Amino acid sequence: MWSEEWELYPSYIGAQVIEYEAVTEDTNDDRSADSTVSLDAVLPDDLLEKVISFLPVASVIRSGSVCKRWHEIVHARRRTWSKMVAQKPWYFMFTCSEEAVSGFAYDPSLRKWYGFDFPCIEKSNWSTSSSAGLVCLMDSENRSRIIVCNPITKDWKRLIDAPGGKSADYSALALSVSRTSHQYIVAIATSNQVPAEYYQWEFSIQLYESETGNWVSAFTEVLLGWRGGDECVICDGVLYYLVYSTGVLVNSNEHRHCVFMYDLSTRSVHTSLMSMAIPVPCPLTCGRLMNLRERLVLVGGIGKQDRPGIIKGIGVWELRNKQWHEVARMPHKYFQGFGEFDDVFASCGADDLIYIQSYGSPSLLTFEINQKLWRWSAKSPVMKRFPLQLFTGFSFEPSLNIAS
């Protein structure tokens, strides 16, 4: 069986496209060294660019090693890649540790894992958010330190320090990139307990606009009985923030989570977040919000009614007209396939693809929401080396034509 591992190397100075080097485990590949592409001599550059643009990102980069002409096309003509066929989101998996972050990226189009050194991220507990080829990173020990990068080209930029101090009781990060202008918005939603007031929490929203290069403090409100968390997303111009009840206003029969909405187009400072709160559809654990083609999707563990911390399955819901509609539930055979599946798992997604991973296992499950298709990824090269080892990850869309 032929398999390969891709090692990621930085590009030469001035280039914006990385280079991959293939390391093959199969020495029986008898492909002829003198084989040629028959149409290469007759295709003009623009048509050759068009042909290459239909390839997956990894294949585009690899094609740059075919010959000098292909190398120049791949590395010197970045405008071509804006017309590439839409790429399915990749998943970057790594272990939770204090060491430098390195791991493997999964390409669902080719069903292959690539050795991948993610740029800029230093700790596994950093907050992440991705959109349209860019990934935003927030330092867990210094919340004002924000970095935006393209993980494929390794282009990155540190934003000016975010307002509000280096730490918060709870903070969540969201990124939204325009696919036409490539301008982007970064949102930080924070929640801090009011001093000497156990049940009161101050919610704040800070926004960064790449067009102006500045942060603005968009909203602040003190709420009773609700606190923030680490999960928010921007979808169709609205910031959605998953929040948790502190128990003071919620009885045992009510849901202990809801989603706050904040319209980024109007940025009203007079509307209470509670007036726009949407309860979650059921007792929930490990809830994750994601933007799938400007549709807000919620993935979470379905808690037992009498023991909400114990999950009996995993569900997928879509928000339509401020009402949750169930899209799917994970089939029991996949739920069992994770082995020891407690109430802690990761999920994320983009386009029409959702990834689900148990923190205690490197197994990765995909769900194509339009086709309602559940499928295991190719076997992950990440190995579990000791019983308590934890794994995590996040998704991003591979792109060659967008910069930070």
Side-chain angles (χ1 to χ4, degrees), residues 19 29 78 81 100 111 125 129 147 180 189 231 245 248 274 297 362 368 371 403:
E19 297 179 5
D29 189 353
R78 294 183 58 202
W81 313 132
R111 291 183 56 79
N125 61 350
S129 180
I147 295 172
T180 53
E231 185 66 21
S245 167
V248 64
M274 285 307 303
V297 172
E368 295 187 32
Q371 301 180 26

Side-chain angles (χ1 to χ4, degrees), residues 193-201 223-227 246-248:
Q193 190 174 26
V194 177
E197 296 290 343
Y198 181 75
Y199 294 114
Q200 291 188 1
W201 292 79
L223 294 178
L224 177 66
W226 294 92
R227 68 160 179 84
T246 60
V248 64

Side-chain angles (χ1 to χ4, degrees), residues 34 71 92 228 231 254 260 267 308 338 352 358 368 389:
D34 58 355
H71 182 275
F92 178 59
E231 185 66 21
E254 293 180 313
F260 286 166
R267 300 187 185 180
F338 280 101
D352 66 346
S358 168
E368 295 187 32
Q389 185 175 10

Side-chain angles (χ1 to χ4, degrees), residues 91-154:
Y91 187 82
F92 178 59
M93 182 186 295
F94 54 100
T95 59
C96 299
S97 69
E98 294 298 320
E99 301 175 356
V101 174
S102 63
F104 293 85
Y106 179 65
D107 177 357
S109 298
L110 299 179
R111 291 183 56 79
K112 290 183 179 180
W113 291 89
Y114 308 135
F116 205 87
D117 291 326
F118 206 94
C120 305
I121 187 168
E122 298 172 7
K123 296 288 184 66
S124 61
N125 61 350
W126 279 26
S127 299
T128 63
S129 180
S130 66
S131 175
L134 294 181
V135 177
C136 189
L137 309 165
M138 180 168 65
D139 189 337
S140 58
E141 298 177 356
N142 180 2
R143 192 190 58 81
S144 63
R145 185 185 177 202
I146 309 292
I147 295 172
V148 176
C149 71
N150 181 329
I152 296 297
T153 66
K154 288 194 172 182

Side-chain angles (χ1 to χ4, degrees), residues 306-318:
D306 55 339
R307 301 176 65 188
I310 305 299
I311 63 174
K312 59 182 180 182
I314 293 178
V316 181
W317 299 267
E318 181 182 347

Side-chain angles (χ1 to χ4, degrees), residues 191-382:
S191 175
N192 288 292
Q193 190 174 26
V194 177
E197 296 290 343
Y198 181 75
Y199 294 114
Q200 291 188 1
W201 292 79
E202 181 183 70
F203 287 79
S204 298
I205 299 174
Q206 316 288 343
L207 300 175
Y208 174 89
E209 296 178 317
S210 63
E211 190 172 6
T212 64
N214 294 315
W215 289 93
V216 295
S217 296
F219 187 86
T220 301
E221 182 181 10
V222 175
L223 294 178
L224 177 66
W226 294 92
R227 68 160 179 84
D230 60 359
E231 185 66 21
C232 71
V233 71
I234 298 172
C235 184
D236 198 23
V238 177
L239 175 68
Y240 295 90
Y241 189 19
L242 184 63
V243 299
Y244 304 80
S245 167
T246 60
V248 64
L249 297 177
V250 178
N251 61 48
S252 58
N253 295 322
E254 293 180 313
H255 298 155
R256 296 182 175 270
H257 306 75
C258 69
V259 176
F260 286 166
M261 300 171 55
Y262 180 75
D263 193 328
L264 298 179
S265 60
T266 60
R267 300 187 185 180
S268 173
V269 297
H270 303 294
T271 302
S272 172
L273 292 175
M274 285 307 303
S275 67
M276 301 294 287
I278 303 172
V280 298
C282 66
L284 199 66
T285 183
C286 285
R288 296 291 184 268
L289 301 171
M290 51 197 76
N291 179 345
L292 302 188
R293 296 183 180 177
E294 303 306 326
R295 297 180 296 169
L296 182 69
V297 172
L298 169 67
V299 177
I302 303 171
K304 295 183 178 180
Q305 197 66 37
D306 55 339
R307 301 176 65 188
I310 305 299
I311 63 174
K312 59 182 180 182
I314 293 178
V316 181
W317 299 267
E318 181 182 347
L319 187 68
R320 304 181 206 137
N321 298 321
K322 299 183 181 179
Q323 296 290 329
W324 293 108
H325 297 266
E326 185 172 306
V327 176
R329 293 199 182 191
M330 181 186 293
H332 191 63
K333 66 177 181 178
Y334 293 108
F335 186 74
Q336 287 183 315
F338 280 101
E340 292 186 10
F341 206 145
D342 55 17
D343 62 340
V344 182
F345 65 94
S347 62
C348 57
D351 194 47
D352 66 346
L353 190 63
I354 296 173
Y355 290 101
I356 299 176
Q357 176 195 355
S358 168
Y359 284 122
S361 168
S363 300
L364 182 64
L365 183 66
T366 66
F367 176 62
E368 295 187 32
I369 193 169
N370 291 336
Q371 301 180 26
K372 293 183 172 55
L373 176 64
W374 298 90
R375 188 181 191 186
W376 291 107
S377 73
K379 184 177 180 181
S380 168
V382 181

